[in-house]
Amino acid sequence: VAGVVQPIALGKLDLGRILLPPPSSTGCDGASLAPRFGGRRPAQTDMPNMPPTPLLETDRLWLKPLCMADAPAVQRRFPRWEIVRHLSAVVPWPYPADGAEKFLRESLTKMETGTHSKWGIWLKGGPDELIGIIEIWVPDPATRDSRGFWLDSEFQGRGLMTEAADR
């Protein structure tokens, strides 16, 4: 993946030096990440925009921007009570059969509008699909929430989420 390394900061959150996708970059299915807005982000009047979601790398992980092609892995790995019980009450339980597709459609819209950055966590040398998700967003003034994450229980206890969050 060709790209440009550049420093990025969002308020007090310094993302450090990261690999930004090239300007012509597309979603993993080849579709533009912002098709409904003519290739540009819509203006946000009530909150700042996040920078475009970049591809990130750690020693053991790839953090790849989410896309609709991730739906089967999310649907297979996420709906486990030992994962969902730690998340917001907004997450439906039991998790519906179309839960991953709905989540990803909503996620891509939030990424397109610049309010969220969401990554699939991919283990280098591991399964050829994501094993979890990590996300950040413009902080909610009421709840002060600004991040979320989950990791397939099969991969917990190895420091992978800490590694992803430290990136």
Side-chain angles (χ1 to χ4, degrees), residues 4 9 12 21 33 35 37 46-47 52 56-57 60 63 68 72 79 83-84 97 127 131 136 142 144 150 160 162 164:
V4 177
K12 292 184 179 183
L33 290 177
F37 305 107
D46 57 344
M47 63 180 67
L56 302 174
E57 181 179 16
R60 298 181 291 168
L63 304 179
M68 287 306 297
I83 295 172
V84 175
I131 60 170
I136 58 174
R144 297 178 25 192
W150 64 266
L160 296 172
T162 299

Side-chain angles (χ1 to χ4, degrees), residues 14-68:
D14 181 4
L15 298 178
R17 296 184 62 76
I18 59 176
L19 179 66
L20 288 176
S24 62
S25 179
T26 60
C28 53
D29 64 353
S32 169
L33 290 177
R36 293 190 300 239
F37 305 107
R40 62 173 177 74
R41 290 173 177 234
Q44 296 289 314
T45 57
D46 57 344
M47 63 180 67
N49 278 349
M50 300 282 294
T53 303
L55 173 67
L56 302 174
E57 181 179 16
T58 71
D59 290 340
R60 298 181 291 168
L61 303 170
W62 285 105
L63 304 179
K64 301 178 182 182
L66 289 178
C67 66
M68 287 306 297

Side-chain angles (χ1 to χ4, degrees), residues 134-155:
I134 189 166
E135 55 188 297
I136 58 174
W137 55 86
V138 176
D140 179 322
T143 65
R144 297 178 25 192
D145 285 345
S146 63
R147 78 242 180 268
F149 53 87
W150 64 266
L151 187 66
D152 184 329
S153 53
E154 175 184 345
F155 298 95

